[in-house]
Amino acid sequence: MRAETPEAEALALFLRAQVDASGLTMTMVAEKIRYSRSQVGLYLSGRVPDQSFVTELIRVTVAEPVLRGRRQAEATRLVHAASNPRSAHAATRENGHGLGAELELARARQIETYERLTRALEQQAEIQDAARNSAQLVMILLTMISALEERVGSLSAERDRLLGQPDHLRAPDDIRQQLGRALHQERRAREELARAREKQRQAEELTDRVQRRVLELTGELERLRSLARGGPAGEPPSGSGASMDMDMDSDERSTTDLVGDDIDQALTRAAAVNDDQTLQHIAGELQGPSGWEPADGSGPAIEPSGVVRDGQDNPATVEFLTTLWEESRDARGTGDYSKAAGLLADLVQRCERALGSDHPDTLEARHRHACNVSESGDRAGAVRLLADLIVDRERVLGSDHPDTLTTRQQHAYSVGESGDRAGAVRLLADLVVDRERVLGSDHPDTLEARHQHAYSVGESGDRAGAVRLLADLIVDRERVLGSDHPFVLINRHQHAYNVGQGGDRVGAGRLYAEIAQDEARLGGPAHPHALLARSQQAYNLGQAGYWADASQIYARLAADCERALGPDHPDTLVNRYQHAYNLGKSGKAAEAARLLQGILHTQARVLGPNHPSTVATGRWHDHFAG
């Protein structure tokens, strides 16, 4: 079976990618989600499934909670697009992107794979820290065991000497206590040595596994780029462990055995390093969580033991709260942000009663509620909700916690969308400083905050400031990600746009020409991003008065769009119209009128005679026909 539309094919590709990444067979997937194997096969081949199938498939194939939430959202969007292919095309055109469903899928998967690669590189660093601590601990314990062997020998000889002297009846008891303690410490030291060596072995094994993961994800990024061409933990141990509590039980203390006290302290430090769970945490990440399967993953992972009844007739069960979360997610996926906001407001109240107002899941539900309030159009309401949430997250989690920083970024976004662009610029400038201090200047979240800051600067009217910020960001993202990374190309598009909006239309045209060459090299000359860059190049040249040059670019662009998208595609019609319009502005009015007559006929058939584009074409036809 072959998908009937590009949107259906994009959805099938996306779902198959989740199954492939999970390591499950189609039969295993069918058993887990209680669909027949033939149904699963049809849906993975291109038939458009219902939302329940997609929700269940993502639940059983994506283990990591944050990624699961993102992929649920992306899958819901793709289902909507596949169920409404024509409206999806129209929405894409209205947003000014001109991108097909296949391109959106490839770009989204590239971003997700980059996030997984970033985490794998972080795991490498954590494993190296754990391995280094274990290696140091092995050397310390070997030295300690050697010293304890000498101490045992010395105390044994002293005990034997004093036993024959009647004037020292208490001394042999003290010596016997110290000797017994030294023997016990030697056994502990040998046990910790065995644990440290085992952790060394685990670290070596995990190093190999994570390195393979890095190579696999790097290859996956390359594969996704090829696809696009066809169509976008626990904390590490703290070195010596000196910050751990070194207190011993009172019955182990001896005011006459200070050496033994020191050895016990050292052994406690060793146990603290060996008890560090970094390696186990990373191994769990590589294998996927076991015994924990929230229904969504992007929402609150509510523990049953923490749930209390919020009413005699309305118990706040895990299932009920999860249902609220899923319903809100589904509503958001269909674009009904008002419904999602209402469901999340209910969820917030129930989480506060069941878990408490400071519980991380309650705070997360408040964050998602505010996001949907914003998307529903109530930007001012979202700003108030997010401002209150920032205060609570700073109090509960700390000002540098990732969730606090994320809420600050969403708050700044909503401030800007509410019309206060200058306020958004100030908030994002402060956020960039904190991101750099907490995460480092090259962290993806820092770079993304800089991107949002530059965007807001441009939208505030300071195009020159946005150009400077974006130029610097492009340099840093090229250094960190590589010149061909999708984020770099996005920033280059945004940079060129602000150059043009700042008045340098010729400069913008030149930048877009360079972007078009690179997009064509990466994805082919008919790649939607290459077509978009060429269209923007022509537009800026036309705005600069170079109508003949713009007309020539639009003519070639219209032909390429017709071959790639079809003669009736909105992008094809727009480029045909722009070709004729710029031709007329260049002085060839009669030829422009003839071309516009043909475009007018097609637009009336495809869009309707009263469509704004059809009306505009008719008006310019009459103008050039004179």
Side-chain angles (χ1 to χ4, degrees):
M1 176 180 177
R2 182 174 177 82
E4 296 180 355
T5 66
E7 291 81 3
E9 183 177 0
L11 174 60
L13 282 171
F14 182 83
L15 296 178
R16 288 204 299 270
Q18 313 315 310
V19 175
D20 292 341
S22 71
L24 298 175
T25 65
M26 191 155 57
T27 300
M28 293 166 67
V29 171
E31 292 173 351
K32 286 178 176 290
I33 66 176
R34 297 187 295 278
Y35 280 74
S36 70
R37 190 179 186 280
S38 60
Q39 284 179 303
V40 174
L42 284 173
Y43 291 146
L44 296 184
S45 298
R47 176 174 291 181
V48 179
D50 53 28
Q51 182 63 51
S52 62
F53 172 86
V54 173
T55 299
E56 284 298 294
L57 185 137
I58 298 298
R59 181 181 65 82
V60 302
T61 58
V62 185
E64 205 281 320
V66 174
L67 282 179
R68 183 187 298 175
R70 292 174 180 170
R71 292 180 185 177
Q72 283 282 17
E74 177 65 8
T76 299
R77 188 188 65 78
L78 289 171
V79 169
H80 179 72
S83 302
N84 305 274
R86 180 170 296 277
S87 66
H89 279 306
T92 300
R93 180 67 197 121
E94 290 169 2
N95 288 334
H97 298 301
L99 306 179
E102 302 93 334
L103 175 65
E104 295 177 354
L105 169 60
R107 290 298 192 202
R109 286 166 57 187
Q110 284 183 28
I111 293 170
E112 292 166 356
T113 303
Y114 170 72
E115 292 173 344
R116 291 162 59 199
L117 177 58
T118 299
R119 177 57 189 144
L121 293 172
E122 291 173 347
Q123 289 172 338
Q124 278 188 323
E126 292 171 7
I127 293 170
Q128 289 170 359
D129 285 341
R132 187 181 304 112
N133 289 340
S134 294
Q136 293 174 350
L137 186 57
V138 166
M139 298 302 297
I140 292 170
L141 287 168
L142 287 172
T143 302
M144 184 185 297
I145 290 170
S146 177
L148 281 167
E149 289 174 342
E150 293 181 5
R151 177 170 170 78
V152 168
S154 175
L155 288 171
S156 297
E158 183 68 4
R159 177 201 61 187
D160 294 340
R161 183 181 69 82
L162 292 175
L163 282 175
Q165 299 184 22
D167 295 334
H168 297 81
L169 297 178
R170 185 173 181 272
D173 291 333
D174 291 341
I175 294 299
R176 280 195 295 270
Q177 289 176 5
Q178 293 179 28
L179 178 59
R181 187 179 184 187
L183 288 169
H184 174 70
Q185 290 170 335
E186 184 181 2
R187 287 194 298 272
R188 285 181 58 194
R190 294 188 184 278
E191 290 170 358
E192 296 299 337
L193 176 61
R195 293 177 63 196
R197 283 173 169 166
E198 175 61 17
K199 292 196 73 170
Q200 278 187 302
R201 186 196 63 76
Q202 292 174 358
E204 291 172 358
E205 180 185 51
L206 286 176
T207 296
D208 292 338
R209 292 174 62 186
V210 172
Q211 181 61 32
R212 290 195 298 271
R213 174 66 64 88
V214 170
L215 293 175
E216 289 169 0
L217 292 172
T218 303
E220 177 69 0
L221 276 176
E222 292 302 319
R223 187 181 72 81
L224 290 172
R225 289 187 180 121
S226 298
L227 177 63
R229 295 186 188 105
E235 295 180 356
S238 57
S240 66
S243 64
M244 303 300 292
D245 185 1
M246 302 305 174
D247 288 342
M248 299 175 293
D249 292 339
S250 59
D251 60 349
E252 291 185 358
R253 295 185 183 274
S254 173
T255 58
T256 61
D257 190 15
L258 298 178
V259 174
D261 292 347
D262 291 339
I263 293 172
D264 273 334
Q265 288 183 349
L267 285 170
T268 302
R269 293 190 187 99
V273 174
N274 277 330
D275 287 340
D276 182 83
Q277 298 297 306
T278 296
L279 296 180
Q280 291 87 338
H281 178 81
I282 294 174
E285 286 186 343
L286 294 174
Q287 295 171 356
S290 78
W292 182 68
E293 191 175 79
D296 178 275
S298 64
I302 301 168
E303 297 292 337
S305 60
V307 176
V308 297
R309 299 173 67 90
D310 62 341
Q312 185 63 30
D313 300 323
N314 186 21
T317 63
V318 178
E319 293 78 8
F320 180 75
L321 294 172
T322 300
T323 298
L324 279 178
W325 185 269
E326 290 177 342
E327 289 178 357
S328 69
R329 181 206 59 217
D330 292 342
R332 178 182 176 87
T334 60
D336 193 347
Y337 299 110
S338 295
K339 179 179 178 181
L343 291 166
L344 286 164
D346 189 12
L347 180 62
V348 167
Q349 293 179 354
R350 294 177 183 275
C351 283
E352 286 178 339
R353 289 195 294 268
L355 305 174
S357 58
D358 290 345
H359 193 281
D361 293 342
T362 304
L363 298 174
E364 179 63 18
R366 289 173 60 189
H367 178 89
R368 300 304 179 95
H369 171 238
C371 290
N372 282 276
V373 168
S374 179
E375 293 301 318
S376 70
D378 184 6
R379 306 293 188 184
V383 168
R384 291 191 296 271
L385 291 170
L386 290 163
D388 292 341
L389 180 57
I390 290 170
V391 173
D392 290 337
R393 277 193 152 165
E394 287 181 338
R395 174 177 52 80
V396 175
L397 304 174
S399 59
D400 292 343
H401 191 280
D403 290 351
T404 305
L405 297 175
T406 297
T407 299
R408 286 176 57 190
Q409 186 157 334
Q410 182 66 37
H411 174 248
Y413 167 79
S414 296
V415 167
E417 292 300 302
S418 69
D420 185 4
R421 293 293 181 185
V425 169
R426 290 192 299 271
L427 292 169
L428 287 164
D430 291 341
L431 180 64
V432 168
V433 172
D434 290 339
R435 290 274 199 199
E436 289 179 339
R437 175 177 53 80
V438 175
L439 302 173
S441 58
D442 292 345
H443 192 279
D445 290 348
T446 303
L447 297 173
E448 177 60 24
R450 291 174 60 188
H451 170 93
Q452 292 292 334
H453 177 230
Y455 169 80
S456 293
V457 168
E459 291 303 299
S460 72
D462 184 5
R463 298 296 179 181
V467 168
R468 289 192 299 270
L469 291 169
L470 287 163
D472 292 341
L473 179 57
I474 290 168
V475 171
D476 290 338
R477 273 191 157 167
E478 284 182 336
R479 174 176 52 79
V480 175
L481 304 175
S483 59
D484 293 340
H485 193 278
F487 289 169
V488 176
L489 293 167
I490 288 171
N491 286 142
R492 290 176 62 189
H493 276 272
Q494 191 178 15
H495 175 248
Y497 172 79
N498 278 278
V499 168
Q501 291 295 106
D504 186 3
R505 294 294 183 180
V506 175
R510 182 175 63 253
L511 291 171
Y512 274 117
E514 295 170 355
I515 296 170
Q517 290 179 350
D518 288 337
E519 294 282 14
R521 172 176 56 81
L522 293 170
H527 192 283
H529 276 187
L531 299 178
L532 174 63
R534 290 165 60 191
S535 175
Q536 289 297 318
Q537 175 195 5
Y539 173 79
N540 279 278
L541 289 177
Q543 290 293 304
Y546 293 91
W547 293 303
D549 293 334
S551 176
Q552 292 176 6
I553 296 173
Y554 276 123
R556 293 190 296 269
L557 192 56
D560 290 341
C561 283
E562 185 168 351
R563 284 192 296 270
L565 305 173
D568 293 343
H569 192 277
D571 289 353
T572 304
L573 296 176
V574 166
N575 286 302
R576 287 178 60 192
Y577 166 83
Q578 290 288 355
H579 167 224
Y581 169 82
N582 281 274
L583 190 65
K585 294 292 286 184
S586 70
K588 298 182 179 180
E591 180 65 12
R594 185 185 65 80
L595 292 172
L596 287 168
Q597 182 64 47
I599 299 168
L600 188 61
H601 176 75
T602 305
Q603 285 179 326
R605 173 175 57 83
V606 175
L607 303 176
N610 297 322
H611 191 277
S613 296
T614 307
V615 174
T617 300
R619 184 168 62 249
W620 280 106
H621 168 265
D622 295 343
H623 173 81
F624 289 126

